Amino acid sequence: MDESAGIEQQQSEEAAATPRSMRVAAALSRKGSDEFVKPGRLVEVRFVKGQSLSLTASRLLALMILTAGGDAWRDIPHRMRKADIRRGHKGNERIVDMLEELHRTLFAEDDKSWRGKRATKRFNLIQASWEEVEDGDKETGWIEWQFTPDARRLIQESETYAVMNRQAVLGFRSAYALKLYEEGALRLHRRQPVWKVDIVGLRAALGIDPDKYGDFAQLRRKVLKIAKTEIDQLAHFTVEWEEIRRGRAVVEIIFRFSPKGAPSQIATVDELARHSAGRKARREHAVETVIAIGREEDLADPAEVTHLLSAATTSLTVSEERARDKAAAPWARFPRGRLHFGTTEQAARAIGLRHGGGWDVDLIADAYREAMGDRLDSLSGVKLEKSWKGFCEAFFARRGRPS
């Protein structure tokens, strides 16, 4: 009895010591979804001047964080199959380049020196890595790595986190877009969807080389506009920005991140499920429409919601719908009554509590049913889950916290 009590106490103490971000990461890992957590301190750490990560290395770092899950803060090795990194490429030579890039890239944070003076601390995120050497031409094997003590400290100190989508991360074609996506996901989770940053801070956060895009018009065209089009297409939110000038020079940027409404969330789920070939053409053809239907204030008319939702979903094939429904079996249809009993009811209630900003979940559910109308009966699976989550986020973003 005493031994059992001691074990329970030890488990309780370990759970209390586990960072909040890691508890959420473990829960998402058990769920087996495409969503994963990146701790806030890792999102906000800045690159050393003149250094940045390439798109492929940034993706690998994201996959490492996803794979480590709730154990990322522990001083243990983590493992991943090479096949999960290659994404269709036959050779493993690119993995070596990505690992070496992660090893040599330096990050920086403000700190204090041994004398108590302001100082800049520079460090790596990857301490050591191992790559299995294949026999012959076999393209198999694993990689193993450990995060540095500084990386684990940042993870452990993170009270907030960004919830990101694996398919979205792998879908970005711009490293700057991926970094801005991380910043937006973090701030939306904090319920502080505004990021005000000066130009020097923006360059450090996104890893823009000091010698590139010296003219702001170039930075706007080559970085911000490209990042916006990709985020608006692949993320669960959209981004806008305002330029603050001193004289003729732009000195600060104010980014505003807005969660997408229900129909736009469904269109995003559809896009992430499609092959990346043709994605740029689809984006250039429909990006303005995606932005327009993503604003919740434009969705007051239920008839308009039904029309937009129908347009966003008619392109789905029966096989795509069945595959997604199988991946989210509990979401056969949205509950008709209160969100208390039953598997789907409890799942819907959990999303409402997490993303509804403290509003009564049943109140949000009634508003969702009214907005979606008859079309709600034909929604199921991942599309229904994402649509409900997006509506909860938009409901909170429009109304703020209940008084």
Side-chain angles (χ1 to χ4, degrees):
M1 185 72 174
D2 292 341
E3 183 179 353
S4 175
I7 294 174
E8 290 181 0
Q9 181 178 357
Q10 182 179 358
Q11 292 175 339
S12 178
E13 292 174 352
E14 182 177 352
T18 302
R20 182 166 180 263
S21 61
M22 292 295 92
R23 294 199 295 271
V24 177
L28 289 176
S29 180
R30 288 193 297 270
K31 183 181 177 182
S33 70
D34 277 339
E35 291 185 330
F36 68 99
V37 157
K38 184 169 184 177
R41 293 293 302 277
L42 284 185
V43 172
E44 293 182 316
V45 67
R46 65 181 187 271
F47 293 103
V48 167
K49 187 176 181 179
Q51 294 200 31
S52 63
L53 287 175
S54 66
L55 177 61
T56 53
S58 297
R59 287 173 176 165
L60 177 57
L61 179 59
L63 290 175
M64 286 175 161
I65 294 170
L66 183 157
T67 302
D71 292 326
W73 67 293
R74 302 182 187 278
D75 186 12
I76 59 174
H78 309 282
R79 303 173 184 87
M80 177 168 39
R81 292 181 184 274
K82 291 183 180 181
D84 294 332
I85 304 172
R86 289 198 306 267
R87 298 188 69 230
H89 294 281
K90 294 183 178 180
N92 288 324
E93 61 278 358
R94 296 178 65 192
I95 296 177
V96 176
D97 296 336
M98 288 186 280
L99 282 173
E100 292 182 354
E101 182 179 347
L102 286 175
H103 276 290
R104 65 175 178 263
T105 301
L106 288 175
F107 296 83
E109 65 174 345
D110 296 328
D111 202 354
K112 294 289 182 98
S113 71
W114 61 277
R115 297 192 302 162
K117 302 287 187 178
R118 290 177 56 191
T120 298
K121 183 175 183 179
R122 298 174 178 84
F123 54 90
N124 303 93
L125 295 182
I126 304 299
Q127 174 174 293
S129 66
W130 297 261
E131 180 206 5
E132 288 185 345
V133 180
E134 295 86 353
D135 296 327
D137 295 328
K138 290 180 63 179
E139 300 295 346
T140 58
W142 293 66
I143 66 166
E144 186 176 11
W145 73 94
Q146 281 184 286
F147 292 115
T148 62
D150 284 302
R152 298 197 305 273
R153 171 182 55 80
L154 290 176
I155 294 171
Q156 196 163 9
E157 291 175 355
S158 296
E159 292 297 324
T160 60
Y161 50 87
V163 177
M164 306 196 303
N165 184 283
R166 178 180 180 274
Q167 293 301 324
V169 167
L170 296 178
F172 285 113
R173 291 295 177 265
S174 163
Y176 304 134
L178 177 53
K179 277 298 299 177
L180 190 57
Y181 167 73
E182 294 178 356
E183 296 282 356
L186 174 63
R187 281 160 178 78
L188 276 178
H189 182 264
R190 286 177 174 172
R191 310 300 187 191
Q192 298 173 343
V194 176
W195 181 31
K196 186 176 182 180
V197 60
D198 60 32
I199 299 302
V200 175
L202 177 66
R203 285 180 172 276
L206 301 188
I208 303 174
D209 192 290
D211 298 328
K212 293 184 69 174
Y213 315 131
D215 181 74
F216 186 80
Q218 290 181 312
L219 190 146
R220 183 196 296 119
R221 185 175 66 255
K222 298 289 189 178
V223 176
L224 299 183
K225 287 188 175 181
I226 292 175
K228 172 180 169 55
T229 56
E230 290 200 22
I231 287 172
D232 288 351
Q233 184 183 34
L234 300 177
H236 57 284
F237 55 87
T238 59
V239 60
E240 304 286 348
W241 74 84
E242 177 185 354
E243 300 166 6
I244 308 300
R245 296 177 179 271
R246 183 177 299 150
R248 298 182 63 182
V250 176
V251 294
E252 286 185 324
I253 303 288
I254 301 177
F255 292 98
R256 290 183 173 85
F257 306 98
S258 304
K260 291 178 178 177
S264 197
Q265 284 278 11
I266 295 171
T268 300
V269 174
D270 179 21
E271 182 59 47
L272 292 175
R274 300 172 74 177
H275 196 278
S276 59
R279 179 164 288 162
K280 182 179 179 181
R282 292 192 296 271
R283 177 168 65 241
E284 292 175 349
H285 176 70
V287 64
E288 292 182 356
T289 303
V290 172
I291 296 172
I293 66 176
R295 296 182 179 180
E296 188 65 23
E297 60 264 30
D298 296 334
L299 303 179
D301 184 2
E304 182 184 4
V305 174
T306 302
H307 172 72
L308 292 172
L309 183 58
S310 177
T313 57
T314 50
S315 63
L316 295 175
T317 65
V318 173
S319 60
E320 285 174 330
E321 290 182 347
R322 287 177 178 173
R324 291 177 200 164
D325 290 348
K326 185 177 181 180
W331 294 89
R333 68 175 186 180
F334 194 77
R336 300 183 182 279
R338 300 183 66 191
L339 306 183
H340 288 278
F341 306 104
T343 303
T344 306
E345 285 80 358
Q346 292 180 11
R349 181 175 179 79
I351 288 177
L353 290 173
R354 176 174 295 177
H355 302 284
W359 287 90
D360 180 79
V361 178
D362 289 314
L363 176 67
I364 304 176
D366 287 340
Y368 179 58
R369 296 185 189 99
E370 181 179 355
M372 300 300 285
D374 294 339
R375 184 60 184 172
L376 190 58
D377 293 333
S378 62
L379 274 182
S380 62
V382 173
K383 288 193 295 180
L384 174 58
E385 181 181 7
K386 294 290 185 181
S387 170
W388 166 237
K389 177 184 173 183
F391 187 88
C392 291
E393 291 175 339
F395 189 95
F396 170 49
R398 187 178 64 184
R399 293 169 175 79
R401 293 195 179 276
S403 56

